[in-house]
Amino acid sequence: MKVGIMGATGYGGLELIKLLSMHPEISGMNFYSTSDYTDDLSAYYPHLATNTSGPIKKWDKNRSVSENDILFFATPHGVSSELIGDLDYSKTKLIDLSGDFRLKKEEQYKKWYKHTHPCFQKTNEFTYGLSELNREAIKKSTNIANPGCYPTATLLGVAPLLNAGIVKKNTIIVDAKSGISGAGKNANQITQFMNRNENLTAYKITEHQHIPEIEQFIGTLDSTQNFISFTPHLVPMTRGILSTIYVESTREISNEELKDLYNQNYEDSYFVRVRDGVPCTKDVYGSNFCDIYATYDDRTNRITIVSVIDNLVKGAAGQAIQNMNIMLDLPDETGLQFTPLFP
């Protein structure tokens, strides 16, 4: 197959290039941008020299569709929908890494993304691509809305409890921390070294655009849940997300039963590892794994879950390729079988 990557110079695009270059079913890649063009990728990113080559071409809606079997959109929200809205993709599979096609209510998109969607009617053509939890729908789909990084870590962490019906209504609290790469490539005051080094900050409290995405999917697992409390933080590291989730339990549960519950939910999931101890971000660094640990506190009747991912892999490019594999009826791990980087 031939695949195209729109937004090839961003961090998500770069991760796609690296991972797809190792995929056994990919015969060629095409790279596109709406602003940055060059005769070869290595002009922007020398680390790709000798391993991956090719020009970054100007996006052309007709050519870009005709020369690819699958198109990945590693573009910011607002950009993907502008491009896809003007596209005839009847013969090409699409995987969008932005948030443009995740939310099913137009007024929510406008409220949380502070942007008017140019083709919201096409949202119903996209399947939410949370690989482990929406597999059957992904198999039947040709267009995927890849989940956000925070939702991936959070939903994988809490889903087994919701499936078991043991989460007390509206008691989910999420304390999530992310590396700076989650803010994208473009420098700004938030990402400047002097503002992030040796510094930890919460941001977008009660306003983060991933809140409705998490709540929307939680509602499909347990219709009694209406909302969550979610606070994201930026930590001075390049990659990684650690999501600590607190829920009140509807009953007492032993840690042994809790671990069995998670193992049963993820027994066929190659990329979810249920841990005996608390995981850290380095345990999954550079990989498509999600490591999860859960424990029950009988003093407070709360369950605490720690879920870690690499935000650029399982939280973006890796899960996008995992979704491609599912659509093509390939094993999830095809082209993604590499161990995390450590130390």
Side-chain angles (χ1 to χ4, degrees), residues 180 187-199 236:
I180 309 303
N188 55 49
Q189 188 173 359
I190 293 175
T191 60
Q192 284 181 326
F193 177 81
M194 66 285 292
N195 291 332
R196 292 280 65 79
N197 184 47
E198 298 184 3
N199 197 8

Side-chain angles (χ1 to χ4, degrees), residues 225-239:
Q225 306 292 336
N226 306 118
F227 57 80
I228 64 168
S229 295
F230 175 83
T231 303
H233 304 74
L234 286 176
V235 295
M237 63 185 188
T238 301
R239 292 172 179 252

Side-chain angles (χ1 to χ4, degrees), residues 275-296:
R275 298 280 300 274
D276 291 323
V278 181
C280 61
T281 57
K282 275 287 188 178
D283 292 340
V284 297
Y285 194 89
S287 79
N288 200 51
F289 288 111
C290 175
D291 284 10
I292 298 173
Y293 170 78
T295 187
Y296 175 71

Side-chain angles (χ1 to χ4, degrees), residues 155 162 214-226:
L155 291 168
L162 293 167
I214 296 170
E215 290 176 343
Q216 177 178 267
F217 196 82
I218 280 175
T220 68
L221 302 178
D222 182 351
S223 60
T224 68
Q225 306 292 336
N226 306 118

